[in-house]
Amino acid sequence: MSLSVIFDLDGTLADTSADLIAAANACFAARGQGAPLDPLADAATAFAGGRAMLRLGMERLGQGWSEADVDRDYPVLLEAYAGAIDVHTRLYPGAMAAVERLWGAGHKVGICTNKPAGLAETLMTRLGVRDRFTALVGADTLPVRKPDPAPLFETIARVGGDPARAVLIGDTVTDRETARAAGIPSVLVTFGPTGRAVAELAPEALLDHYDRLDAVLSGLHPGH
């Protein structure tokens, strides 16, 4: 029987952290405040989203700030990111080979991300792999975003799948909570910035490399 294998994007399919950090730093550079964020050390914050990066940068600068400042800079960040979305971004090793194996075995494949849908569409198209995912649901596709389970259910529906035969591949507590709320198994990757610390989130499985995806899915859904 076929599975619906739904992937998160940032930190799961692709390492987007350096381009995200660069976009956030562009907001600070525009005000002559330099680049307070580091593409390596702050990668985990990058995967938490644009506003999280802005908050960290403002805290690091040691000046008074408010959520109004974050809201002001967020569109600037998105514009900077859209203009340089794939400078440093790379798909994780083996990711697309694993997706091809899923296709070959008759499984359904989609993306459920908290990245704005337009940016996600642009990125996957630029990376040359958009056509390998039947559906892409982003942060603004529905009125709610992960960890609300609705976007995950929507992605499964758009790939023509069944929630009873689905799994979410992700990298953060947001993905873990989304899957839990949906009653769907989660697999968290360990090659992101937090490494094997994701085991503390108690997902149904961990994935150390995409070469192991088939075996991991077999463990969750015997006879898939």
Side-chain angles (χ1 to χ4, degrees), residues 195-220:
R196 293 191 65 83
V198 294
E200 298 170 7
L201 301 174
E204 280 70 27
L206 298 172
L207 181 65
D208 295 325
H209 191 286
Y210 274 112
D211 289 352
R212 292 277 304 150
L213 183 59
D214 311 66
V216 167
L217 294 177
S218 291
L220 293 175

Side-chain angles (χ1 to χ4, degrees), residues 25 28 47 64 76 78 100-101 106 127 135 140 153 171 174-175 193 219:
N25 277 333
F28 300 111
F47 294 144
V76 180
L78 291 181
E100 293 301 332
R101 292 196 302 275
L127 294 175
D140 49 357
F153 285 133
D171 69 305
T174 299
D175 298 308

Side-chain angles (χ1 to χ4, degrees), residues 161-210:
D162 178 354
R165 299 281 304 168
V167 61
L168 176 62
I169 316 292
D171 69 305
T172 66
V173 65
T174 299
D175 298 308
R176 177 69 185 100
E177 293 304 322
T178 303
R180 179 182 281 126
I184 288 171
S186 62
V187 176
L188 297 185
V189 303
T190 64
F191 40 78
T194 56
R196 293 191 65 83
V198 294
E200 298 170 7
L201 301 174
E204 280 70 27
L206 298 172
L207 181 65
D208 295 325
H209 191 286
Y210 274 112

Side-chain angles (χ1 to χ4, degrees), residues 112-117 136-155 158 174 178 181:
C112 183
T113 175
N114 272 354
K115 193 187 225 55
L136 189 159
V137 170
D140 49 357
T141 302
L142 301 179
V144 294
R145 61 169 66 187
K146 298 184 296 183
D148 191 294
L152 176 54
F153 285 133
E154 179 70 14
T155 312
R158 291 189 182 193
T174 299
T178 303

Side-chain angles (χ1 to χ4, degrees), residues 52-175:
M53 291 186 293
L54 292 172
R55 291 184 191 108
L56 178 60
M58 290 175 186
E59 289 170 3
R60 203 165 274 170
L61 289 169
Q63 302 170 358
W65 63 276
S66 69
E67 284 300 311
D69 297 312
V70 175
D71 291 341
R72 176 202 64 211
D73 275 3
Y74 188 63
V76 180
L77 182 154
L78 291 181
E79 183 176 357
Y81 184 59
I85 199 168
D86 62 341
V87 176
H88 305 289
T89 291
R90 298 292 182 269
L91 292 157
Y92 284 111
M96 293 314 300
V99 169
E100 293 301 332
R101 292 196 302 275
L102 292 173
W103 275 104
H107 301 309
K108 306 172 192 305
V109 187
I111 293 173
C112 183
T113 175
N114 272 354
K115 193 187 225 55
L119 290 175
E121 292 279 3
T122 297
L123 178 58
M124 298 309 284
T125 300
R126 294 264 190 94
L127 294 175
V129 297
R130 175 61 186 90
D131 64 333
R132 306 316 293 151
F133 300 88
T134 302
L136 189 159
V137 170
D140 49 357
T141 302
L142 301 179
V144 294
R145 61 169 66 187
K146 298 184 296 183
D148 191 294
L152 176 54
F153 285 133
E154 179 70 14
T155 312
I156 295 167
R158 291 189 182 193
V159 300
D162 178 354
R165 299 281 304 168
V167 61
L168 176 62
I169 316 292
D171 69 305
T172 66
V173 65
T174 299
D175 298 308

